[in-house]
Amino acid sequence: MVEGRDIQCFWSVFKMFEELDDYRKKVRDFGLSEFTEDLIDRYDKTEEYPDDIRLKALKSGLIDMSNPAKILISIEELCRIDAGLGIAATIPYFGGEVIMLYGNEKQKRILNDVYSGKYILGLGVTEPSGGSDVAGLKTTAKKIGDKYVINGSKMFISNGGIADYIVLLARTSDEENKHHGLTTFLINTKSPGFEANKLHGKLGVRATNTAELKFNNLEVSVDDVIGEVGQGFYYIMTFFNISRIYVAAQALGIARGALDKILEFVKNNNIKDEYTMFKVSDVSTRIEASRQLTYNAASYLFKFDPKPALTSMAKVYAGETAVYASELAMEITKNDHKTQRFFRNAKIMEIWEGTSEIEKLIISRQILKGGN
Amino acid sequence: MEDEYKLLRENVEEFGSTLDEKKIEENGIDNNLLKKLASQGFLAALIPENLGGSGLDESSYNIILEVLSKYSPSSAFEIFLINSIAYPVLSDDLNYLNDVIKGDDFIGISLDKTIKNNSLDSVLNANGKYTIMSSDVPAIAENENFTEKDFMGFKGIRFGNVGIKNQKNIKSNKNIKNSIMNSYRSLAAINLGIISGSLQKALEYSAVRQAFDVHLKDFGPIAFNLSKMVARENILRNIIYSNVNSEYVFDFSIENALEISKYSLNVHGGYGYFKDFGVEKFYRDAMALKAVFYGNDFLENLSKRVYGERSGFI
Ligand SMILES: Cc1cc2nc3c(=O)[nH]c(=O)nc-3n(C[C@H](O)[C@H](O)[C@H](O)COP(=O)(O)OP(=O)(O)OC[C@H]3O[C@@H](n4cnc5c(N)ncnc54)[C@H](O)[C@@H]3O)c2cc1C
């Protein structure tokens, strides 16, 4: 039992989502008209980034960062049609909350330019040697005069090859407590010493850009530190408490899209047997549970009081549901071409922004501590 | 006999380890590889020696499928399509297979009964000269052209829409559906290869990769899950080469292949999501195999086996 549940808040958020039904329809209509089968297929095959889709989604008012409920709806509905394009359209702002919460004026101006579509942002935490153990990262930022000199590398960075700026987590001191020696920076990717190598051959979400980043004596000024020196680990954990709800929304969208494929197939082929009907019930129930977990976690986020256990529960469960639903859709539709994409896209939900194992550790630790 | 099986296993292991699976996944099975598979006698494994085949028994054949799947599920699946599907249907008309078993041609297998505008929508080995149709009455047609489509699994096999001509019925007491029903043990052998291939990667990776300053294998959930999976891998191997009913064996293999290949991908973290690490393909292949061969048709067969009469159709 999670302590301190605020039922009032939970219901008001559900109501808020309900009241955004027209907005939801607007997003879905956008996705249905813009994400043509041709386009989905092309970007899935070429692994190019669909910049025109990013700009269209922005111009159509689907990226309103001042309203997180709308963002969750945009993510969910676009991923319901195709997670490759859906995430490509909604991920250029990735890491923005770190600046929003802790950045200085100059950084916030850059963030405004990200939100207006001028720039693309990325978040560099994971390294070749590990992503789960955030505090174990090895990239260093050494202070020399009024500058920091950054050396090291980052792995699997979304938008890495197309971003104008990267929110970077690096080690600024070798404190005994590894968590205390980390600092966040805002890096301009045009800076000398920055290198991005695009990674090819992802199983899914192939319209998103993923890169390995290298920093070779890259210099930044002290003004490029986000927030306080030594607080980076905690900033990133706070950020994950927000972004993991976005991932839950991506997963919810994929699961619903897979269910759409199942229902279409069942109806078109007049399938009525009880075995299939039970599967339909099962996946629908799990989707509903994922939705409730996601909106529940979101309800605390909207009060600026995210609950790590509830957030992780939403991400794990929705991620597992996306995988379950897409596997089932493959089974029922017999390897249908469009369904395959849901299957390939779903698996990343259990890996990025904390693998399911890491989420489970967070949940159990929080519960053992007696709450959130 | 046990010694012969052991020797065969070692030989196939040796051959399998030389395959360039990345290239196979990228460019498909080419004539060069097909020739190699033919020269090993794999393409005609089940065809009697007096008819130009290798005349192997079922266990030897399944050993080939199992061991090759570990390295290249596509190559094993190609062998399966020829021996387990094409050969039973064409056994009275082996001329169609002459070039195929020599490694000079592919034989198309249609997965869908529908013929629209003289074309078949879902054909495995769409690049062959002929396609065996999925009709109840066994039939074959000449391929005119094909448009490639994505099959998701077994990437080495060309899949697509095939334009056909000169369709004709063939004298045979087997169609594609009956052939599949007789091949569950061999499909289970492919699943076992998928399980072994993915598990081996996960075991190796978890022994060298560190997180939080310890090897992944030292975390309880990883060690316990992988060990339980190794146990299931061994049980599956034992029942494949026993007289346990083939439907039971296939059913046991299906969920395990999907779950184990998925978990093996997971153990690789972000790397698992990329082709380069050679583990995600097992998950795709396990899913494709399940999507095509496992469903209500199979489950009705299984239930018939259990009840001795038709059941589970409501
Ligand atoms: C397409 C893609 C995009 C990504 N985008 C970004 C991005 O934009 N920014 C970014 O910083 N990162 C990004 N990532 C990285 C992602 O967040 C990491 O891959 C993930 O956190 C796991 O880290 P890892 O890959 O190093 O796996 P590892 O940390 O090496 O973990 C390997 C396995 O061990 C398990 N494990 C680890 N510790 C434990 C434990 N204590 N107990 C039990 N099991 C454990 C993990 O769950 C996993 O299964 C992306 C990854 C991908 C694939």
Side-chain angles (χ1 to χ4, degrees), chain A residues 94 123 125-126 130-132 156-158 202 348 351-353 355 357 361, chain B residues 209 211-212 216 219 222 266-267 269-270:
Chain A
F94 190 47
L123 176 86
V125 175
T126 305
S132 301
F156 308 132
I157 305 307
S158 299
K202 289 198 292 280
I348 193 64
I351 299 173
W352 64 14
E353 279 162 79
T355 61
E357 288 73 20
L361 286 175
Chain B
R209 175 76 168 179
F212 303 95
L216 297 184
F219 293 119
I222 292 185
N266 223 58
V267 168

PDB file of all heavy atoms in Angstrom, chain A residues 94 123 125-126 130-132 156-158 202 348 351-353 355 357 361, chain B residues 209 211-212 216 219 222 266-267 269-270, ligand 1:
ATOM      1  N   PHE A  94      13.486  16.780 -25.028  1.00  0.00           N
ATOM      2  CA  PHE A  94      13.904  15.848 -23.983  1.00  0.00           C
ATOM      3  C   PHE A  94      14.996  16.458 -23.098  1.00  0.00           C
ATOM      4  O   PHE A  94      16.048  16.868 -23.589  1.00  0.00           O
ATOM      5  CB  PHE A  94      14.404  14.569 -24.652  1.00  0.00           C
ATOM      6  CG  PHE A  94      14.655  13.438 -23.700  1.00  0.00           C
ATOM      7  CD1 PHE A  94      13.724  13.101 -22.735  1.00  0.00           C
ATOM      8  CD2 PHE A  94      15.825  12.695 -23.771  1.00  0.00           C
ATOM      9  CE1 PHE A  94      13.940  12.056 -21.854  1.00  0.00           C
ATOM     10  CE2 PHE A  94      16.060  11.642 -22.903  1.00  0.00           C
ATOM     11  CZ  PHE A  94      15.115  11.326 -21.944  1.00  0.00           C
ATOM     12  N   LEU A 123      19.435  14.672 -23.902  1.00  0.00           N
ATOM     13  CA  LEU A 123      19.880  14.477 -22.522  1.00  0.00           C
ATOM     14  C   LEU A 123      20.936  13.382 -22.501  1.00  0.00           C
ATOM     15  O   LEU A 123      20.672  12.246 -22.910  1.00  0.00           O
ATOM     16  CB  LEU A 123      18.691  14.048 -21.651  1.00  0.00           C
ATOM     17  CG  LEU A 123      19.036  13.722 -20.198  1.00  0.00           C
ATOM     18  CD1 LEU A 123      19.021  14.987 -19.342  1.00  0.00           C
ATOM     19  CD2 LEU A 123      18.052  12.717 -19.612  1.00  0.00           C
ATOM     20  N   VAL A 125      23.051  11.049 -20.320  1.00  0.00           N
ATOM     21  CA  VAL A 125      23.346  10.437 -19.020  1.00  0.00           C
ATOM     22  C   VAL A 125      24.099   9.119 -19.217  1.00  0.00           C
ATOM     23  O   VAL A 125      25.199   8.926 -18.696  1.00  0.00           O
ATOM     24  CB  VAL A 125      22.041  10.196 -18.209  1.00  0.00           C
ATOM     25  CG1 VAL A 125      22.352   9.451 -16.913  1.00  0.00           C
ATOM     26  CG2 VAL A 125      21.344  11.521 -17.902  1.00  0.00           C
ATOM     27  N   THR A 126      23.504   8.221 -20.023  1.00  0.00           N
ATOM     28  CA  THR A 126      24.069   6.870 -20.198  1.00  0.00           C
ATOM     29  C   THR A 126      25.448   6.912 -20.846  1.00  0.00           C
ATOM     30  O   THR A 126      25.699   7.720 -21.740  1.00  0.00           O
ATOM     31  CB  THR A 126      23.125   6.030 -21.079  1.00  0.00           C
ATOM     32  OG1 THR A 126      21.837   6.036 -20.489  1.00  0.00           O
ATOM     33  CG2 THR A 126      23.614   4.591 -21.217  1.00  0.00           C
ATOM     34  N   GLY A 130      27.744   1.949 -18.894  1.00  0.00           N
ATOM     35  CA  GLY A 130      26.570   1.709 -18.059  1.00  0.00           C
ATOM     36  C   GLY A 130      25.559   2.829 -18.047  1.00  0.00           C
ATOM     37  O   GLY A 130      25.916   4.012 -18.117  1.00  0.00           O
ATOM     38  N   GLY A 131      24.293   2.420 -17.948  1.00  0.00           N
ATOM     39  CA  GLY A 131      23.202   3.385 -17.899  1.00  0.00           C
ATOM     40  C   GLY A 131      22.406   3.267 -16.615  1.00  0.00           C
ATOM     41  O   GLY A 131      21.894   4.251 -16.086  1.00  0.00           O
ATOM     42  N   SER A 132      22.323   2.044 -16.092  1.00  0.00           N
ATOM     43  CA  SER A 132      21.523   1.852 -14.875  1.00  0.00           C
ATOM     44  C   SER A 132      22.172   2.529 -13.679  1.00  0.00           C
ATOM     45  O   SER A 132      21.512   3.181 -12.874  1.00  0.00           O
ATOM     46  CB  SER A 132      21.371   0.355 -14.577  1.00  0.00           C
ATOM     47  OG  SER A 132      20.754  -0.293 -15.651  1.00  0.00           O
ATOM     48  N   PHE A 156      23.935   5.913 -26.635  1.00  0.00           N
ATOM     49  CA  PHE A 156      22.486   5.798 -26.904  1.00  0.00           C
ATOM     50  C   PHE A 156      21.739   7.103 -26.644  1.00  0.00           C
ATOM     51  O   PHE A 156      20.663   7.086 -26.021  1.00  0.00           O
ATOM     52  CB  PHE A 156      21.828   4.721 -26.010  1.00  0.00           C
ATOM     53  CG  PHE A 156      22.484   3.378 -26.030  1.00  0.00           C
ATOM     54  CD1 PHE A 156      22.767   2.706 -24.854  1.00  0.00           C
ATOM     55  CD2 PHE A 156      22.798   2.760 -27.228  1.00  0.00           C
ATOM     56  CE1 PHE A 156      23.353   1.451 -24.856  1.00  0.00           C
ATOM     57  CE2 PHE A 156      23.383   1.504 -27.246  1.00  0.00           C
ATOM     58  CZ  PHE A 156      23.667   0.848 -26.054  1.00  0.00           C
ATOM     59  N   ILE A 157      22.296   8.216 -27.051  1.00  0.00           N
ATOM     60  CA  ILE A 157      21.641   9.486 -26.715  1.00  0.00           C
ATOM     61  C   ILE A 157      20.621   9.862 -27.786  1.00  0.00           C
ATOM     62  O   ILE A 157      20.969  10.081 -28.948  1.00  0.00           O
ATOM     63  CB  ILE A 157      22.684  10.601 -26.511  1.00  0.00           C
ATOM     64  CG1 ILE A 157      23.697  10.156 -25.446  1.00  0.00           C
ATOM     65  CG2 ILE A 157      22.013  11.924 -26.126  1.00  0.00           C
ATOM     66  CD1 ILE A 157      23.098   9.682 -24.122  1.00  0.00           C
ATOM     67  N   SER A 158      19.347   9.914 -27.378  1.00  0.00           N
ATOM     68  CA  SER A 158      18.279  10.277 -28.311  1.00  0.00           C
ATOM     69  C   SER A 158      18.495  11.714 -28.759  1.00  0.00           C
ATOM     70  O   SER A 158      18.840  12.576 -27.937  1.00  0.00           O
ATOM     71  CB  SER A 158      16.918  10.141 -27.645  1.00  0.00           C
ATOM     72  OG  SER A 158      16.719   8.813 -27.251  1.00  0.00           O
ATOM     73  N   LYS A 202      18.512  -0.070 -34.926  1.00  0.00           N
ATOM     74  CA  LYS A 202      17.657  -0.301 -33.759  1.00  0.00           C
ATOM     75  C   LYS A 202      16.533  -1.261 -34.146  1.00  0.00           C
ATOM     76  O   LYS A 202      16.084  -1.286 -35.284  1.00  0.00           O
ATOM     77  CB  LYS A 202      17.014   1.015 -33.297  1.00  0.00           C
ATOM     78  CG  LYS A 202      17.972   1.987 -32.649  1.00  0.00           C
ATOM     79  CD  LYS A 202      17.213   3.040 -31.852  1.00  0.00           C
ATOM     80  CE  LYS A 202      16.409   3.991 -32.685  1.00  0.00           C
ATOM     81  NZ  LYS A 202      17.161   5.075 -33.292  1.00  0.00           N
ATOM     82  N   ILE A 348      11.447  -1.147 -26.339  1.00  0.00           N
ATOM     83  CA  ILE A 348      12.284  -0.072 -25.773  1.00  0.00           C
ATOM     84  C   ILE A 348      11.656   0.491 -24.489  1.00  0.00           C
ATOM     85  O   ILE A 348      12.345   1.048 -23.634  1.00  0.00           O
ATOM     86  CB  ILE A 348      12.535   1.066 -26.809  1.00  0.00           C
ATOM     87  CG1 ILE A 348      13.662   2.009 -26.342  1.00  0.00           C
ATOM     88  CG2 ILE A 348      11.283   1.881 -27.082  1.00  0.00           C
ATOM     89  CD1 ILE A 348      15.001   1.389 -26.230  1.00  0.00           C
ATOM     90  N   ILE A 351      13.304  -0.547 -21.481  1.00  0.00           N
ATOM     91  CA  ILE A 351      14.753  -0.307 -21.387  1.00  0.00           C
ATOM     92  C   ILE A 351      15.074   1.151 -21.071  1.00  0.00           C
ATOM     93  O   ILE A 351      15.807   1.433 -20.122  1.00  0.00           O
ATOM     94  CB  ILE A 351      15.455  -0.709 -22.720  1.00  0.00           C
ATOM     95  CG1 ILE A 351      15.251  -2.195 -23.015  1.00  0.00           C
ATOM     96  CG2 ILE A 351      16.946  -0.367 -22.663  1.00  0.00           C
ATOM     97  CD1 ILE A 351      15.754  -2.645 -24.383  1.00  0.00           C
ATOM     98  N   TRP A 352      14.515   2.091 -21.858  1.00  0.00           N
ATOM     99  CA  TRP A 352      15.027   3.457 -21.690  1.00  0.00           C
ATOM    100  C   TRP A 352      14.431   4.170 -20.478  1.00  0.00           C
ATOM    101  O   TRP A 352      13.382   3.810 -19.982  1.00  0.00           O
ATOM    102  CB  TRP A 352      14.951   4.276 -22.962  1.00  0.00           C
ATOM    103  CG  TRP A 352      13.633   4.622 -23.583  1.00  0.00           C
ATOM    104  CD1 TRP A 352      12.392   4.533 -23.040  1.00  0.00           C
ATOM    105  CD2 TRP A 352      13.467   5.151 -24.910  1.00  0.00           C
ATOM    106  NE1 TRP A 352      11.465   4.956 -23.940  1.00  0.00           N
ATOM    107  CE2 TRP A 352      12.080   5.345 -25.089  1.00  0.00           C
ATOM    108  CE3 TRP A 352      14.321   5.497 -25.954  1.00  0.00           C
ATOM    109  CZ2 TRP A 352      11.555   5.857 -26.274  1.00  0.00           C
ATOM    110  CZ3 TRP A 352      13.784   5.998 -27.118  1.00  0.00           C
ATOM    111  CH2 TRP A 352      12.431   6.175 -27.281  1.00  0.00           C
ATOM    112  N   GLU A 353      15.201   5.141 -20.038  1.00  0.00           N
ATOM    113  CA  GLU A 353      14.882   5.918 -18.826  1.00  0.00           C
ATOM    114  C   GLU A 353      14.677   5.040 -17.600  1.00  0.00           C
ATOM    115  O   GLU A 353      13.768   5.265 -16.794  1.00  0.00           O
ATOM    116  CB  GLU A 353      13.693   6.825 -19.079  1.00  0.00           C
ATOM    117  CG  GLU A 353      14.155   8.071 -19.789  1.00  0.00           C
ATOM    118  CD  GLU A 353      13.055   8.815 -20.457  1.00  0.00           C
ATOM    119  OE1 GLU A 353      12.361   9.517 -19.723  1.00  0.00           O
ATOM    120  OE2 GLU A 353      12.906   8.690 -21.668  1.00  0.00           O
ATOM    121  N   THR A 355      15.608   0.740 -16.813  1.00  0.00           N
ATOM    122  CA  THR A 355      15.056  -0.561 -17.225  1.00  0.00           C
ATOM    123  C   THR A 355      13.993  -0.972 -16.202  1.00  0.00           C
ATOM    124  O   THR A 355      13.947  -0.434 -15.086  1.00  0.00           O
ATOM    125  CB  THR A 355      16.155  -1.637 -17.237  1.00  0.00           C
ATOM    126  OG1 THR A 355      16.679  -1.751 -15.911  1.00  0.00           O
ATOM    127  CG2 THR A 355      17.276  -1.280 -18.206  1.00  0.00           C
ATOM    128  N   GLU A 357      13.963  -3.448 -14.415  1.00  0.00           N
ATOM    129  CA  GLU A 357      14.616  -3.934 -13.181  1.00  0.00           C
ATOM    130  C   GLU A 357      14.919  -2.757 -12.249  1.00  0.00           C
ATOM    131  O   GLU A 357      14.707  -2.844 -11.039  1.00  0.00           O
ATOM    132  CB  GLU A 357      15.916  -4.682 -13.512  1.00  0.00           C
ATOM    133  CG  GLU A 357      15.737  -6.043 -14.163  1.00  0.00           C
ATOM    134  CD  GLU A 357      15.286  -5.983 -15.621  1.00  0.00           C
ATOM    135  OE1 GLU A 357      15.468  -4.927 -16.266  1.00  0.00           O
ATOM    136  OE2 GLU A 357      14.741  -6.981 -16.115  1.00  0.00           O
ATOM    137  N   LEU A 361      13.480  -1.896  -8.468  1.00  0.00           N
ATOM    138  CA  LEU A 361      14.294  -1.584  -7.283  1.00  0.00           C
ATOM    139  C   LEU A 361      13.775  -0.320  -6.612  1.00  0.00           C
ATOM    140  O   LEU A 361      13.689  -0.238  -5.385  1.00  0.00           O
ATOM    141  CB  LEU A 361      15.759  -1.398  -7.677  1.00  0.00           C
ATOM    142  CG  LEU A 361      16.538  -2.663  -8.026  1.00  0.00           C
ATOM    143  CD1 LEU A 361      17.948  -2.318  -8.509  1.00  0.00           C
ATOM    144  CD2 LEU A 361      16.634  -3.578  -6.798  1.00  0.00           C
TER     145      LEU A 361
ATOM    146  N   ARG B 209      29.665  -8.052 -18.071  1.00  0.00           N
ATOM    147  CA  ARG B 209      29.165  -6.682 -17.924  1.00  0.00           C
ATOM    148  C   ARG B 209      28.958  -6.361 -16.445  1.00  0.00           C
ATOM    149  O   ARG B 209      28.443  -7.194 -15.687  1.00  0.00           O
ATOM    150  CB  ARG B 209      27.830  -6.556 -18.680  1.00  0.00           C
ATOM    151  CG  ARG B 209      27.111  -5.234 -18.524  1.00  0.00           C
ATOM    152  CD  ARG B 209      27.721  -4.140 -19.338  1.00  0.00           C
ATOM    153  NE  ARG B 209      26.887  -2.953 -19.401  1.00  0.00           N
ATOM    154  CZ  ARG B 209      27.245  -1.864 -20.062  1.00  0.00           C
ATOM    155  NH1 ARG B 209      28.398  -1.810 -20.697  1.00  0.00           N
ATOM    156  NH2 ARG B 209      26.442  -0.813 -20.089  1.00  0.00           N
ATOM    157  N   ALA B 211      27.383  -3.587 -13.524  1.00  0.00           N
ATOM    158  CA  ALA B 211      26.559  -2.434 -13.155  1.00  0.00           C
ATOM    159  C   ALA B 211      26.696  -2.303 -11.645  1.00  0.00           C
ATOM    160  O   ALA B 211      26.744  -3.324 -10.944  1.00  0.00           O
ATOM    161  CB  ALA B 211      25.101  -2.658 -13.548  1.00  0.00           C
ATOM    162  N   PHE B 212      26.778  -1.107 -11.161  1.00  0.00           N
ATOM    163  CA  PHE B 212      26.960  -0.856  -9.725  1.00  0.00           C
ATOM    164  C   PHE B 212      28.176  -1.626  -9.188  1.00  0.00           C
ATOM    165  O   PHE B 212      28.133  -2.212  -8.099  1.00  0.00           O
ATOM    166  CB  PHE B 212      25.700  -1.236  -8.938  1.00  0.00           C
ATOM    167  CG  PHE B 212      24.461  -0.520  -9.415  1.00  0.00           C
ATOM    168  CD1 PHE B 212      23.598  -1.116 -10.341  1.00  0.00           C
ATOM    169  CD2 PHE B 212      24.160   0.756  -8.969  1.00  0.00           C
ATOM    170  CE1 PHE B 212      22.466  -0.468 -10.793  1.00  0.00           C
ATOM    171  CE2 PHE B 212      23.017   1.416  -9.417  1.00  0.00           C
ATOM    172  CZ  PHE B 212      22.176   0.806 -10.326  1.00  0.00           C
ATOM    173  N   LEU B 216      26.728  -8.524 -13.709  1.00  0.00           N
ATOM    174  CA  LEU B 216      25.266  -8.692 -13.759  1.00  0.00           C
ATOM    175  C   LEU B 216      24.855 -10.051 -13.194  1.00  0.00           C
ATOM    176  O   LEU B 216      23.817 -10.187 -12.558  1.00  0.00           O
ATOM    177  CB  LEU B 216      24.758  -8.586 -15.203  1.00  0.00           C
ATOM    178  CG  LEU B 216      24.971  -7.255 -15.926  1.00  0.00           C
ATOM    179  CD1 LEU B 216      24.322  -7.305 -17.312  1.00  0.00           C
ATOM    180  CD2 LEU B 216      24.407  -6.085 -15.138  1.00  0.00           C
ATOM    181  N   PHE B 219      23.576 -10.382  -9.599  1.00  0.00           N
ATOM    182  CA  PHE B 219      22.254  -9.935  -9.143  1.00  0.00           C
ATOM    183  C   PHE B 219      21.302 -11.124  -9.151  1.00  0.00           C
ATOM    184  O   PHE B 219      21.178 -11.825 -10.167  1.00  0.00           O
ATOM    185  CB  PHE B 219      21.690  -8.845 -10.061  1.00  0.00           C
ATOM    186  CG  PHE B 219      22.470  -7.558 -10.006  1.00  0.00           C
ATOM    187  CD1 PHE B 219      23.095  -7.058 -11.134  1.00  0.00           C
ATOM    188  CD2 PHE B 219      22.572  -6.842  -8.818  1.00  0.00           C
ATOM    189  CE1 PHE B 219      23.818  -5.869 -11.082  1.00  0.00           C
ATOM    190  CE2 PHE B 219      23.289  -5.648  -8.759  1.00  0.00           C
ATOM    191  CZ  PHE B 219      23.914  -5.168  -9.887  1.00  0.00           C
ATOM    192  N   ILE B 222      18.792 -11.694 -12.113  1.00  0.00           N
ATOM    193  CA  ILE B 222      19.409 -12.088 -13.385  1.00  0.00           C
ATOM    194  C   ILE B 222      19.909 -13.538 -13.307  1.00  0.00           C
ATOM    195  O   ILE B 222      19.602 -14.366 -14.177  1.00  0.00           O
ATOM    196  CB  ILE B 222      20.549 -11.115 -13.768  1.00  0.00           C
ATOM    197  CG1 ILE B 222      19.935  -9.744 -14.094  1.00  0.00           C
ATOM    198  CG2 ILE B 222      21.367 -11.654 -14.941  1.00  0.00           C
ATOM    199  CD1 ILE B 222      20.907  -8.708 -14.598  1.00  0.00           C
ATOM    200  N   ASN B 266      16.861  -8.255 -22.936  1.00  0.00           N
ATOM    201  CA  ASN B 266      16.773  -7.378 -21.777  1.00  0.00           C
ATOM    202  C   ASN B 266      18.074  -7.303 -20.973  1.00  0.00           C
ATOM    203  O   ASN B 266      18.474  -6.231 -20.539  1.00  0.00           O
ATOM    204  CB  ASN B 266      15.707  -7.976 -20.856  1.00  0.00           C
ATOM    205  CG  ASN B 266      14.809  -6.934 -20.314  1.00  0.00           C
ATOM    206  OD1 ASN B 266      14.181  -6.237 -21.089  1.00  0.00           O
ATOM    207  ND2 ASN B 266      14.787  -6.784 -19.009  1.00  0.00           N
ATOM    208  N   VAL B 267      18.686  -8.459 -20.805  1.00  0.00           N
ATOM    209  CA  VAL B 267      19.916  -8.521 -20.015  1.00  0.00           C
ATOM    210  C   VAL B 267      20.999  -7.646 -20.662  1.00  0.00           C
ATOM    211  O   VAL B 267      21.860  -7.099 -19.980  1.00  0.00           O
ATOM    212  CB  VAL B 267      20.394  -9.994 -19.873  1.00  0.00           C
ATOM    213  CG1 VAL B 267      21.808 -10.078 -19.331  1.00  0.00           C
ATOM    214  CG2 VAL B 267      19.440 -10.761 -18.972  1.00  0.00           C
ATOM    215  N   GLY B 269      20.543  -4.760 -21.834  1.00  0.00           N
ATOM    216  CA  GLY B 269      20.199  -3.341 -21.681  1.00  0.00           C
ATOM    217  C   GLY B 269      20.033  -2.685 -23.047  1.00  0.00           C
ATOM    218  O   GLY B 269      19.501  -3.295 -23.979  1.00  0.00           O
ATOM    219  N   GLY B 270      20.523  -1.450 -23.188  1.00  0.00           N
ATOM    220  CA  GLY B 270      20.385  -0.711 -24.450  1.00  0.00           C
ATOM    221  C   GLY B 270      21.040  -1.425 -25.622  1.00  0.00           C
ATOM    222  O   GLY B 270      20.537  -1.383 -26.748  1.00  0.00           O
TER     223      GLY B 270
HETATM  224  C1  LIG C   1      17.068   3.730 -28.370  1.00  0.00           C
HETATM  225  C2  LIG C   1      17.629   4.201 -27.070  1.00  0.00           C
HETATM  226  C3  LIG C   1      17.568   5.539 -26.723  1.00  0.00           C
HETATM  227  C4  LIG C   1      18.104   5.994 -25.526  1.00  0.00           C
HETATM  228  N1  LIG C   1      18.084   7.334 -25.226  1.00  0.00           N
HETATM  229  C5  LIG C   1      18.803   7.794 -24.164  1.00  0.00           C
HETATM  230  C6  LIG C   1      18.971   9.194 -23.929  1.00  0.00           C
HETATM  231  O1  LIG C   1      18.438  10.023 -24.658  1.00  0.00           O
HETATM  232  N2  LIG C   1      19.739   9.591 -22.887  1.00  0.00           N
HETATM  233  C7  LIG C   1      20.351   8.699 -22.064  1.00  0.00           C
HETATM  234  O2  LIG C   1      21.055   9.137 -21.163  1.00  0.00           O
HETATM  235  N3  LIG C   1      20.203   7.369 -22.240  1.00  0.00           N
HETATM  236  C8  LIG C   1      19.453   6.898 -23.277  1.00  0.00           C
HETATM  237  N4  LIG C   1      19.320   5.541 -23.484  1.00  0.00           N
HETATM  238  C9  LIG C   1      19.990   4.612 -22.586  1.00  0.00           C
HETATM  239  C10 LIG C   1      19.073   3.828 -21.675  1.00  0.00           C
HETATM  240  O3  LIG C   1      18.488   4.654 -20.729  1.00  0.00           O
HETATM  241  C11 LIG C   1      19.934   2.708 -21.073  1.00  0.00           C
HETATM  242  O4  LIG C   1      20.172   1.777 -22.099  1.00  0.00           O
HETATM  243  C12 LIG C   1      19.297   2.015 -19.899  1.00  0.00           C
HETATM  244  O5  LIG C   1      19.213   2.889 -18.834  1.00  0.00           O
HETATM  245  C13 LIG C   1      20.085   0.779 -19.467  1.00  0.00           C
HETATM  246  O6  LIG C   1      21.440   1.016 -19.359  1.00  0.00           O
HETATM  247  P1  LIG C   1      22.488   0.054 -20.080  1.00  0.00           P
HETATM  248  O7  LIG C   1      22.060  -0.089 -21.474  1.00  0.00           O
HETATM  249  O8  LIG C   1      23.849   0.543 -19.832  1.00  0.00           O
HETATM  250  O9  LIG C   1      22.274  -1.330 -19.363  1.00  0.00           O
HETATM  251  P2  LIG C   1      23.023  -1.812 -18.015  1.00  0.00           P
HETATM  252  O10 LIG C   1      22.931  -0.771 -16.999  1.00  0.00           O
HETATM  253  O11 LIG C   1      24.350  -2.341 -18.375  1.00  0.00           O
HETATM  254  O12 LIG C   1      22.081  -3.006 -17.585  1.00  0.00           O
HETATM  255  C14 LIG C   1      22.121  -4.283 -18.232  1.00  0.00           C
HETATM  256  C15 LIG C   1      21.048  -5.162 -17.626  1.00  0.00           C
HETATM  257  O13 LIG C   1      21.305  -5.348 -16.240  1.00  0.00           O
HETATM  258  C16 LIG C   1      20.151  -5.033 -15.494  1.00  0.00           C
HETATM  259  N5  LIG C   1      20.554  -4.494 -14.184  1.00  0.00           N
HETATM  260  C17 LIG C   1      21.385  -3.459 -13.947  1.00  0.00           C
HETATM  261  N6  LIG C   1      21.475  -3.262 -12.629  1.00  0.00           N
HETATM  262  C18 LIG C   1      20.717  -4.196 -12.019  1.00  0.00           C
HETATM  263  C19 LIG C   1      20.405  -4.517 -10.669  1.00  0.00           C
HETATM  264  N7  LIG C   1      20.893  -3.796  -9.657  1.00  0.00           N
HETATM  265  N8  LIG C   1      19.563  -5.553 -10.430  1.00  0.00           N
HETATM  266  C20 LIG C   1      19.044  -6.276 -11.432  1.00  0.00           C
HETATM  267  N9  LIG C   1      19.302  -6.023 -12.734  1.00  0.00           N
HETATM  268  C21 LIG C   1      20.130  -4.989 -13.023  1.00  0.00           C
HETATM  269  C22 LIG C   1      19.431  -4.017 -16.340  1.00  0.00           C
HETATM  270  O14 LIG C   1      18.068  -3.960 -16.003  1.00  0.00           O
HETATM  271  C23 LIG C   1      19.662  -4.575 -17.722  1.00  0.00           C
HETATM  272  O15 LIG C   1      18.732  -5.584 -17.979  1.00  0.00           O
HETATM  273  C24 LIG C   1      18.715   5.074 -24.647  1.00  0.00           C
HETATM  274  C25 LIG C   1      18.757   3.721 -24.988  1.00  0.00           C
HETATM  275  C26 LIG C   1      18.239   3.281 -26.172  1.00  0.00           C
HETATM  276  C27 LIG C   1      18.326   1.827 -26.532  1.00  0.00           C
END
